[in-house]
Amino acid sequence: TRGDEGPGPVRVAETRLTPPPPARRQAGEVLQAPTEPVPLVDTHARTFETHAEELADKPAADVIRAARDLSTDELRALYEYEQGHKKRKTVLQEIEAQLAPVG
């Protein structure tokens, strides 16, 4: 045999590049509790406050347009943020109009 031919044929079982898929779980199977603490709140989840901050960074016309689709809690958060930061009268008036009772 010659020494420059390499190691020879490679077996298929030796060429597995990806780990085997995890075993399927059975319905009702009891899982072990996580070993690390699990956060109660997703740190990337949008809150009323972060949404208000995102909106307030936009031009007044965009904020006014978006205010029409916000919930009462979102409107209140946006109003508080806008009142404490940019204080744009048109934006504050639109939020007040959206918060006013219909009737």
Side-chain angles (χ1 to χ4, degrees):
T1 64
R2 293 175 39 195
D4 61 347
E5 293 177 10
V10 177
R11 295 184 195 157
V12 174
E14 295 172 350
T15 61
R16 183 177 296 175
L17 299 176
T18 58
R24 292 188 79 139
R25 300 190 190 273
Q26 298 297 318
E29 179 180 351
V30 177
L31 304 176
Q32 287 187 336
T35 56
E36 297 181 16
V38 178
L40 297 176
V41 176
D42 182 0
T43 56
H44 300 289
R46 185 190 318 188
T47 63
F48 298 138
E49 292 79 17
T50 59
H51 190 190
E53 291 174 26
E54 289 173 17
L55 280 175
D57 286 338
K58 295 183 179 191
D62 293 345
V63 177
I64 290 169
R65 196 173 312 114
R68 297 177 187 138
D69 297 325
L70 298 178
S71 70
T72 303
D73 290 334
E74 289 171 320
L75 285 168
R76 288 180 181 144
L78 179 59
Y79 188 86
E80 288 176 16
Y81 189 85
E82 184 70 30
Q83 194 174 36
H85 293 85
K86 293 189 176 182
K87 301 176 184 163
R88 295 175 286 189
K89 289 181 183 182
T90 56
V91 172
L92 293 171
Q93 288 172 347
E94 177 62 27
I95 297 169
E96 289 171 356
Q98 294 297 322
L99 287 171
V102 178

